[in-house]
Amino acid sequence: MNQTQPSRIERLKPWLIVLCLIPVYRWLFLAFGDHLGVDPARFMVQSSGLSTLIFLVITLSITPLRVHLTMPELVKWRRIFGLFTFFYACCHAIFWFWLDRRLNFSLVAVGVSERPFIYIGVLNLLMLTALALTSNQAMVRKLGRNWRRLHRLVYVVAVLVLLHMWQMQDQGSDYIAVIVAALVLGFLLLWRVVYQRKQASKVQESMASIKPKSE
């Protein structure tokens, strides 16, 4: 049965990519139907930011699912979700620069001075860029143990994305999605800490069991 899992997961990858593009389909549908609201720029910036947050949560959920379902091949899906997190983060930055700031660097400077949390967004995008560029197998082999250390940045990104999204909300109802995401991310981070401690404990027990007994 385990031998069929990799091929099944591989077959589902194209469909997974189609599903990951649902926010794009929605944007196109709303744009062509002229349903982006009274402030299309604000809608697109917030929608792309929320999509980034959702895909980041999904990406971090893959490891617990992989462990509990005993499906190591799910790691291939984690990379796809991670790349789409980066994709929507890029959309978020582009929409802000293009639609909200109208490709005007003077307006960009004004926006940054008025809303310092934009610096957090820029830092997040830089870290996500590093993670995306090093997500392939060639970089895993090249970086060795440093690859794991680098990709722990995703937890820093998760906290900063929440902070960035929280500060850019200006209506009470808009906070609900951020609060829900914060609770889910908090659970996932707690699970990670507990899981790593259990793994470390197992390694210590294994090492102790193979130590030669003193005569």
Side-chain angles (χ1 to χ4, degrees), residues 17-154:
I17 293 172
V18 170
L19 290 175
C20 287
L21 289 170
I22 285 178
V24 177
Y25 308 146
R26 177 171 175 260
W27 296 338
L28 293 175
F29 174 78
L30 294 175
F32 282 114
D34 197 19
H35 297 305
L36 293 176
V38 294
D39 190 349
R42 178 180 177 275
F43 173 82
M44 293 300 293
V45 170
Q46 291 205 339
S47 179
S48 56
L50 184 58
S51 297
T52 303
L53 181 57
I54 290 172
F55 275 87
L56 180 59
V57 170
I58 295 173
T59 302
L60 292 176
S61 300
I62 294 297
T63 296
L65 287 174
R66 179 174 60 85
V67 171
H68 288 291
L69 297 177
T70 320
M71 295 180 65
E73 290 296 321
L74 281 177
V75 71
K76 297 178 180 178
W77 285 12
R78 185 179 63 187
R79 180 171 183 263
I80 293 174
F81 285 123
L83 290 175
F84 270 100
T85 301
F86 172 65
F87 169 73
Y88 287 112
C90 289
C91 289
H92 180 65
I94 291 170
F95 290 152
W96 181 77
F97 181 54
W98 173 31
L99 300 176
D100 191 71
R101 300 291 100 180
R102 303 171 188 174
L103 303 178
N104 188 318
F105 285 98
S106 297
L107 292 177
V108 169
V110 172
V112 171
S113 63
E114 292 177 347
R115 292 173 285 185
F117 64 83
I118 292 173
Y119 287 116
I120 298 176
V122 173
L123 179 60
N124 275 334
L125 185 58
L126 291 174
M127 288 191 288
L128 285 172
T129 301
L131 296 178
L133 292 176
T134 58
S135 64
N136 56 74
Q137 288 299 318
M139 292 304 297
V140 172
R141 291 190 295 269
K142 184 176 181 179
L143 294 176
R145 292 183 178 178
N146 290 326
W147 186 89
R148 286 185 176 274
R149 294 169 185 165
L150 175 63
H151 279 252
R152 285 174 186 161
L153 282 177
V154 70

Side-chain angles (χ1 to χ4, degrees), residues 57 60-61 64-65 68 155 162 179-195:
V57 170
L60 292 176
S61 300
L65 287 174
H68 288 291
Y155 300 105
L162 284 173
I179 292 172
V180 171
L183 293 174
V184 175
L185 283 172
F187 171 78
L188 292 173
L189 292 175
L190 179 62
W191 179 91
R192 185 75 180 185
V193 171
V194 173
Y195 175 72

